[in-house]
Amino acid sequence: MHPSVYRPLIETAIREDLGSAGDITTAAVVPDGAVAVASLNARVEGRLAGLEVAAEVFRFVDSSLTVERLAVDGTDMAAGSALATIAGSASSILIAERTALNFLGLMCGIATLTRSVVREVAGTGVAVAETRKTTPGLRALEKYAVRMGGGANHRFGLDDAVMIKDNHIAVSGGVAKAVAAARAAVGHMTKIEVEVDTLEQLAELLADPVDVVLLDNMDPATLRRAVEMVDGAMVTEASGGITLANVRQIAESGVDVVSLGWLTHSAQSLDIGLEIEITTA
């Protein structure tokens, strides 16, 4: 992930935290010139994502801070493992601490949850993807975290693929009309996906297949029938009503992709801590 993606987010977050008066606690209690070494540590087991983002928080607050990364995004962390060390101004480390941990904990939580789903469907050949149900402003970071968890990305926004959902179909007058209008409006490089709720809608779509069909809120038996009907004519994506408990069953229906909004909107931040030790004052 290019730094230009997350640097503006870091600046916004630091400005939010500092407010108009800055860190009044650190200014009051930390001696001028105090130098420290701090360690970022995983307090629980999980999948690492966002370490460079966290490192950039410290560098944004104080470019003289030295950050050494001890682990790599996309790898598993043991409880208690050290992820990075930060050396330099104690005040700067303390100012950056919470923002760095907020980004890192969120991204590790998403990566860890994604990893659990990927493990659950291992051997089925299904891809695990998130949706656009992301935290406003943090979509790029959250989708990156999904990749670090072993998942795949769905579309990033409204502009990179056509996705005709039930409400689009309702206002456009039906599946066929919606597909025809979309094809007339976009170029050959833009993929088209259509959401169907029933096998009857799927049959209508198969008269003029698109790139991807979203099979919405279908049980495993219905999904198996849908996959048979499609017979390779489109990429099949299952979404809606999928949980960690039933995702294996869904995957075994033969669909190509499962998309899960809860990978991002319901992931719990992983517990990452910072331990600091003053070296000089």
Side-chain angles (χ1 to χ4, degrees):
M1 183 168 46
H2 196 274
S4 63
V5 173
Y6 51 81
R7 281 174 181 157
L9 303 175
I10 289 170
E11 181 173 0
T12 298
I14 289 294
R15 289 186 187 280
E16 176 184 58
D17 212 20
L18 286 174
S20 58
D23 183 353
I24 60 175
T25 306
T26 295
V29 305
V30 176
D32 290 341
V35 176
V37 174
S39 176
L40 282 173
N41 303 308
R43 291 176 173 165
V44 294
E45 185 277 337
R47 176 62 62 87
L48 178 60
L51 187 57
E52 178 54 29
V53 178
E56 187 65 18
V57 173
F58 290 101
R59 291 192 289 260
F60 176 82
V61 169
D62 184 347
S63 61
S64 71
L65 290 176
T66 300
V67 182
E68 181 183 3
R69 288 176 289 169
L70 306 176
V72 179
D73 280 2
T75 60
D76 292 327
M77 310 173 287
S81 59
L83 307 177
T85 59
I86 307 97
S89 163
S91 293
S92 297
I93 293 171
L94 290 169
I95 289 169
E97 174 185 3
R98 176 42 51 198
T99 298
L101 292 176
N102 283 349
F103 280 122
L104 187 57
L106 170 67
M107 295 175 72
C108 288
I110 292 170
T112 302
L113 182 57
T114 303
R115 183 192 65 177
S116 69
V117 180
V118 170
R119 287 177 173 177
E120 191 67 26
V121 302
T124 65
V126 75
V128 176
E130 79 302 282
T131 69
R132 284 170 46 244
K133 294 178 181 178
T134 54
T135 307
L138 300 183
R139 179 170 295 167
L141 301 189
E142 294 180 347
K143 284 181 173 283
Y144 169 84
V146 167
R147 295 199 302 277
M148 293 303 99
N153 289 145
H154 210 286
R155 61 176 179 161
F156 270 73
L158 295 172
D159 62 339
D160 63 347
V162 171
M163 187 168 179
I164 302 170
K165 304 190 76 174
D166 53 355
N167 286 334
H168 297 108
I169 292 169
V171 299
S172 62
V175 171
K177 287 185 177 180
V179 170
R183 283 210 171 100
V186 300
H188 70 287
M189 295 294 288
T190 303
K191 288 193 173 184
I192 299 175
E193 179 171 15
V194 176
E195 176 187 289
V196 300
D197 302 316
T198 66
L199 295 181
E200 290 73 23
Q201 279 187 320
L202 177 58
E204 183 182 357
L205 180 60
L206 282 168
D208 186 13
V210 292
D211 298 291
V212 187
V213 58
L214 174 62
L215 305 166
D216 190 41
N217 280 292
M218 293 184 181
D219 59 44
T222 306
L223 285 170
R224 281 193 293 273
R225 177 60 185 139
V227 170
E228 290 172 359
M229 291 172 63
V230 172
D231 192 26
M234 298 178 283
V235 173
T236 54
E237 175 187 341
S239 192
I242 305 175
T243 67
L244 193 57
N246 69 11
V247 69
R248 178 82 191 185
Q249 254 191 313
I250 298 293
E252 289 175 343
S253 70
V255 295
D256 299 303
V257 182
V258 291
S259 57
L260 312 166
W262 47 266
L263 288 182
T264 50
H265 71 59
S266 294
Q268 182 176 352
S269 287
L270 214 67
D271 191 3
I272 310 290
L274 182 141
E275 303 297 329
I276 189 168
E277 180 180 349
I278 295 291
T279 56
T280 60

